[in-house]
């Protein structure tokens, strides 16, 4: 199916495509109007600490929802027939904080003690930016958004801690101001940017070499604008080193039936 055709699918239809292995790439720009979620799936004895970490760090870890109890893999609270084991394009498997595998379903990995957390994603605020006429360079260039480790410390919670990861979109100054105004209305999906301008001030050595995702063109007269990113909990999980956990692959989100418009505070 062409990218243009995929963009017209409903969230349910897109999840079915993903479940059948027909879409295994990033989900930016797909299912316009609907909330996309980052994932963290942890053993139950780590769940309360991780929940506290999210509460203390709402910009990089805005909690949209979580499973009702350990072992739940069906998540009706976020959409029709959502099966967290099969409905995300790609997952990352970690053991004791070390990356072990990238897989396209969790059918061979699911356990009865796992708790799923769903966190807000920057793809949700890209939509109102586009609607206001602002360009999102990673969408224009058809690549994954660039993401970077920073020196911005998160508030620790038990075994979870570490520094924030940010996503970046280049903009002219006037567009950056408008983006701040728009994104401030969406705290449930990272809210306003955390930094703009000189990347070295937040510990980024080379803007053309992202730690995750793909580099994008920064044109003359533009500045990099940085938002808190949902890859941050992946770094916190590496810090906590649980014996087993699962996250989404960067850019490969759970597409829900929740409307982005419901997340706006204005």
């Amino acid at each position: 199916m062409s990218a243009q055709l995929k963009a017209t699918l409903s969230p349910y239809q897109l999840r079915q495509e993903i479940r059948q292995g027909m879409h295994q790439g990033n989900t930016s720009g797909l299912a316009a109007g609907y909330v996309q979620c980052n994932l963290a799936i942890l053993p139950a004895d780590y769940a309360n600490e991780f929940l506290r970490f999210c509460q203390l760090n709402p910009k990089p870890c805005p909690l949209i929802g979580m499973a009702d109890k350990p072992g739940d893999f069906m998540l009706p609270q976020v959409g029709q027939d959502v099966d967290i084991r099969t409905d995300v394009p790609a997952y990352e498997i970690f053991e004791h904080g070390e990356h072990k595998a990238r897989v396209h379903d969790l059918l061979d990995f699911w356990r009865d003690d796992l708790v799923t957390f769903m966190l807000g994603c920057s793809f949700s605020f890209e939509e109102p930016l586009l609607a206001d006429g602002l360009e999102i360079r990673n969408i224009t260039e058809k690549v994954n958004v660039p993401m970077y480790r920073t020196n911005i410390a998160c508030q620790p919670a038990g075994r979870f801690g570490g520094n924030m990861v940010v996503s970046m979109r280049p903009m002219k100054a006037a567009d950056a101001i408008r983006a701040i105004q728009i994104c401030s209305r969406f705290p449930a999906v990272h809210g306003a940017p955390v930094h703009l301008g000189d990347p070295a001030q937040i510990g980024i050595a080379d803007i053309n070499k992202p730690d995750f995702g793909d580099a994008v063109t920064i044109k003359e007269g533009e500045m990099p604008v940085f938002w808190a990113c949902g890859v941050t909990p992946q770094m916190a999980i590496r810090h906590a080193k649980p014996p087993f956990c699962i996250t989404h692959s960067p850019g490969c989100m759970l597409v829900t039936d929740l409307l982005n418009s419901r997340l706006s505070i204005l």
Side-chain angles (χ1 to χ4, degrees), residues 55-163:
Q55 292 169 336
L56 290 173
N57 299 279
K59 285 190 77 70
C61 306
L63 191 63
I64 298 293
M66 60 184 291
D68 291 336
K69 61 182 184 297
D72 282 355
F73 53 82
M74 300 302 294
L75 301 171
Q77 62 268 49
V78 295
Q80 177 186 355
D81 190 36
V82 174
D83 186 334
I84 203 61
R85 304 171 302 173
T86 58
D87 294 358
V88 171
Y91 307 82
E92 306 294 342
I93 308 294
F94 294 86
E95 295 178 2
H96 301 286
E98 297 297 323
H99 182 261
K100 292 299 180 182
R102 184 178 193 263
V103 299
H104 295 291
D105 69 63
L106 302 176
L107 296 175
D108 293 332
F109 296 91
W110 192 257
R111 301 178 354 186
D112 289 341
D113 67 332
L114 294 177
V115 179
T116 298
F117 293 84
M118 293 162 283
L119 308 172
C121 166
S122 62
F123 292 171
S124 289
F125 70 63
E126 288 179 343
E127 179 187 309
L129 295 180
L130 290 167
D132 203 65
L134 302 182
E135 182 195 3
I136 304 298
R137 189 65 41 77
N138 54 284
I139 293 179
T140 302
E141 296 186 350
K142 296 181 172 60
V143 296
N144 200 355
V145 65
M147 294 162 272
Y148 307 83
R149 294 183 177 96
T150 75
N151 59 13
I152 304 170
C154 294
Q155 290 291 322
R159 290 164 284 189
F160 293 92
N163 291 345

Side-chain angles (χ1 to χ4, degrees), residues 245-259:
C245 72
I246 302 163
T247 71
H248 67 290
S249 288
C252 299
M253 307 300 176
L254 173 66
V255 181
T256 77
D257 293 350
L258 305 175
L259 289 167

Side-chain angles (χ1 to χ4, degrees), residues 37-57:
C37 290
N38 302 294
L39 292 182
I41 303 174
L42 294 155
D45 59 348
Y46 281 76
N48 285 340
E49 286 180 24
F50 184 74
L51 176 60
R52 180 63 176 156
F53 181 78
C54 293
Q55 292 169 336
L56 290 173
N57 299 279

Side-chain angles (χ1 to χ4, degrees), residues 179-191:
I180 292 168
Q181 293 171 331
I182 292 170
C183 291
S184 295
R185 296 166 46 211
F186 293 91
V189 286
H190 301 305

Side-chain angles (χ1 to χ4, degrees), residues 9-21:
L9 295 177
S10 71
Y12 173 78
Q13 290 170 327
L14 180 58
R15 290 194 300 272
Q16 292 299 307
E17 293 273 313
I18 293 167
R19 186 178 297 185
Q20 295 164 25

Side-chain angles (χ1 to χ4, degrees), residues 191-252:
V194 296
H195 182 70
L196 65 163
D198 184 3
Q201 292 184 4
I202 57 172
I204 299 171
D206 189 343
I207 196 67
N208 295 310
K209 294 182 179 178
D211 295 298
F212 312 96
D214 304 301
V216 296
T217 305
I218 302 177
K219 299 177 181 178
E220 186 175 354
E222 292 182 333
M223 67 176 71
V225 184
F226 300 94
W227 279 261
C229 174
V231 178
T232 302
Q234 292 189 14
M235 298 300 101
I237 286 167
R238 288 191 176 191
H239 186 274
K241 299 181 179 178
F244 180 79
C245 72
I246 302 163
T247 71
H248 67 290
S249 288
C252 299

